[in-house]
DNA sequence: TCGATTTGTTAATCTAGATGAATGTTCCCT
DNA sequence: AGGGAACATTCATCTAGATTAACAAATCGA
């Protein structure tokens, strides 16, 4: 999604790190939030609500950037947990490096373009959450990210869709039956 | 939020128009999607689902930009309706004008910054939709946008929150009782 | 390799919020 | 000013999905 080398050149503080499956890249309550470029592997971000339940905000596989934008933008303590679903190689950097003066205008515009695309995806996510039943959200997810279901346990997909693992199990049975 | 004069200078095709309350600025199915800067008044965007129900995606008052980003980014027909809740003065422009070469780098970076903030708000919206009960979403909305409830009918706020007007009415009664 | 954790499924019961309907109120519009 | 539409509230009923629990299968770690 974003070019690794660009980031490394731009942000002198950027660093590459290797993580094991289940390791945390960020925890809730951290004072400073970074952005994470996934060079290899698979990450997920999620919150834990007042009842202790996890809610997956997003997944990020190779080439994606994952971050707690709310914390970064408004300088709040982080509210998201970010951990690894697979052993991963991650580039840690400051999102603000994209605002730096020594970056070419073309690069910035390119970055702007990517941001717009992600906003458009988020728009779709909100609309789906509000207006579509769980089964439609699931089929949309599978067709939008066909490679992810194979790498992600179903209960996490359920969480991403805003339903319980049991509900997703039932949905999948119904889909299988109707074919 | 964004500077009106900037847009006018940058996009030669940008135009200002006055709309009456209830007039449509965009309808579903349009081939070309524009961005709308609200100089004065109040707009809302929404979809109509397969059962004919409206779901408000966002409101935009003075200084905000409202657009169907999905349609713009992926060159799809528009899926959102956008109409006026008040008589409004609207600047219509091409989002792509922000990518233009004759825009100073500082302006682009400024714009990038605004985009990040809006992404952060969308992150919060998704998290709230997934993890918070309707009453919390309502109180969050009221405290985040205290001026809007006075200008927006409750059934549209309910729609924005993802609940029915009846449910919002009940929530408001409970809040009033508990005080 | 074996116990333990993680994962997925099924079923019974429960609940937040949807639906549908009736009623009153406020706001327009001409 | 007055009649119709839009708005808000209340209540009775319904339902998608949550919750709880029990169990089987797959995976993992030592």
């Amino acid at each position: 999604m974003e070019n690794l080398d660009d980031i490394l050149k731009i942000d002198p503080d950027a660093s590459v790190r290797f993580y094991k499956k289940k390791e945390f890249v960020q925890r809730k309550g951290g004072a400073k939030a970074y952005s994470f470029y996934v060079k290899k592997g698979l990450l997920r971000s999620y919150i834990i609500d007042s009842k202790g339940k996890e809610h997956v905000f997003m997944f990020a596989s190779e080439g994606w950037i994952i971050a707690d934008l709310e914390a970064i933008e408004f300088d709040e303590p982080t509210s998201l947990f970010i951990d690894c679903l697979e052993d991963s190689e991650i580039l840690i950097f400051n999102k603000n490096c994209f605002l730096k003066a020594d970056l070419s205008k073309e690069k910035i515009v390119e970055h702007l373009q990517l941001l717009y695309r992600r906003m458009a995806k988020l728009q779709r996510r909100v609309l789906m959450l509000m207006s579509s039943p769980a089964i439609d959200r699931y089929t949309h997810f599978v067709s939008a990210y066909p490679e992810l279901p194979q790498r992600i346990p179903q209960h996490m997909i359920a969480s991403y869709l805003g339903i319980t693992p049991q509900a997703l199990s039932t949905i999948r049975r119904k889909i299988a039956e109707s074919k």
Side-chain angles (χ1 to χ4, degrees), chain A:
Chain A
M1 189 176 189
E2 197 78 40
N3 192 309
L4 174 70
D5 299 325
D6 284 345
I7 297 171
L8 275 174
K9 268 181 237 153
I10 297 159
D11 186 354
D13 298 326
S15 63
V16 175
R17 270 201 55 183
F18 292 82
Y19 291 90
K20 285 277 169 199
K21 184 172 174 174
K22 295 197 181 175
E23 253 191 288
F24 282 95
V25 164
Q26 172 181 301
R27 280 165 193 280
K28 177 184 175 173
K32 179 86 177 65
Y34 295 91
S35 295
F36 306 95
Y37 172 91
V38 182
K39 193 174 175 191
K40 193 171 167 315
L42 181 58
L43 308 202
R44 119 244 217 205
S45 63
Y46 62 96
I47 51 164
I48 297 183
D49 70 18
S50 53
K51 289 177 194 158
K53 237 180 68 177
E54 292 182 5
H55 302 269
V56 173
F57 176 62
M58 71 173 283
F59 302 107
S61 59
E62 288 81 7
W64 282 79
I65 289 172
I66 190 167
D68 185 345
L69 269 194
E70 204 185 12
I72 292 175
E73 279 313 310
F74 302 107
D75 252 312
E76 295 169 4
T78 55
S79 62
L80 294 177
F81 295 86
I82 303 179
D83 65 6
C84 301
L85 305 188
E86 302 172 356
D87 293 355
S88 301
E89 183 178 357
I90 304 298
L91 176 69
I92 304 166
F93 66 101
N94 275 295
K95 163 233 130 187
N96 287 328
C97 76
F98 291 118
L99 310 179
K100 279 236 191 108
D102 54 345
L103 198 54
S104 82
K105 206 164 94 178
E106 288 67 34
K107 283 289 174 199
I108 293 180
V109 165
E110 198 180 297
H111 184 68
L112 196 62
Q113 192 64 40
L114 284 171
L115 258 198
Y116 271 118
R117 302 236 151 181
R118 284 194 53 170
M119 283 266 284
K121 298 269 191 184
L122 263 185
Q123 173 181 314
R124 173 53 39 196
R125 178 98 184 277
V126 170
L127 293 175
M128 297 289 287
L129 277 175
M130 291 201 306
S131 70
S132 300
I135 185 168
D136 294 353
R137 302 206 296 277
Y138 176 64
T139 54
H140 175 262
F141 174 79
V142 170
S143 68
Y145 308 102
E147 71 290 357
L148 290 189
Q150 299 148 358
R151 298 169 70 180
I152 300 173
Q154 272 174 43
H155 71 271
M156 291 186 190
I157 295 176
S159 175
Y160 175 89
L161 297 173
I163 57 176
T164 56
Q166 293 91 326
L168 179 53
S169 183
T170 308
I171 284 169
R172 283 163 50 82
R173 180 176 20 132
K174 277 179 187 156
I175 290 174
E177 277 169 3
S178 73
K179 273 200 290 212

